[in-house]
Amino acid sequence: MNVEIINKYGIESFVFTVNVDRGIVKMSCNASDESIIVLIDRFRFEDLWYKIGKGEHYQYYKPNSDEELADLSRGTKEIWMGCGKYPDAEKGFAEPFDNPVPVAQFTYTNMLRGSAGWVDTNGFGISDVTRTIWLLANGAKEFPVIVNDLQSAIAIHDLIGVKTSKVYTGIDLYERARECITK
């Protein structure tokens, strides 16, 4: 994972490079020792998301219908690109590299409401569905997400994280950024 630190208007941000079909895009989060990032494996994520289906684990995303949520979790590139808010993500990811898109926020939960009712399984919640489906539609194999607490980050990493990665704390990210400068 490539990490750099930028300072924009006196505020430091961690900036991540994400490989997509058309090249690279940049994503960011505020730089602090409290930051916790998990590198998500697209295929593990899609597999679990498909099993969960639609439900109330979409914290802030307001779909047009329950069917739209089901379509997104069982999506194809065409379905994702047809999402009503997809053009907003397209504009955001088209911005210059000095204005990176914020990473999505994921949360961890034990019980999820799926298409067949409550699912007694480990799972995740997505606060930023649109940028997540943009990454999927554009071929990202892995992408960073921010998680609020270490215990949740470990659980999400175990479920859908890149197996060769780890949970990255702010201290790890500062170190990783220094390593990327020297390469």
Side-chain angles (χ1 to χ4, degrees), residues 89-134:
E90 187 72 38
K91 287 178 192 168
F93 281 104
E95 288 288 320
F97 287 155
D98 65 347
N99 191 22
V101 173
V103 297
Q105 182 176 358
F106 276 37
T107 56
Y108 176 76
T109 183
N110 286 314
M111 294 290 291
L112 298 173
R113 185 180 168 105
S115 55
W118 285 96
V119 179
D120 185 14
T121 183
N122 293 327
F124 56 89
I126 310 169
S127 294
D128 305 298
V129 173
T130 307
R131 71 190 69 150
T132 302
I133 63 170
W134 187 95

Side-chain angles (χ1 to χ4, degrees), residues 55-95:
E56 296 180 11
H57 59 290
Y58 299 90
Q59 295 178 341
Y60 303 111
Y61 180 72
K62 301 296 182 215
N64 294 326
S65 66
D66 283 345
E67 289 75 28
E68 184 179 356
L69 282 178
D71 284 348
L72 293 176
S73 66
R74 290 160 167 76
T76 63
K77 183 175 183 173
E78 291 74 26
I79 288 171
W80 293 324
M81 292 175 79
C83 173
K85 292 175 67 178
Y86 185 89
D88 296 336
E90 187 72 38
K91 287 178 192 168
F93 281 104
E95 288 288 320

Side-chain angles (χ1 to χ4, degrees), residues 131-152:
R131 71 190 69 150
T132 302
I133 63 170
W134 187 95
L135 291 165
L136 298 175
N138 285 277
K141 303 278 189 282
E142 53 190 47
F143 53 92
V145 300
I146 193 160
V147 182
N148 285 337
D149 65 272
L150 187 57
Q151 185 176 359
S152 294

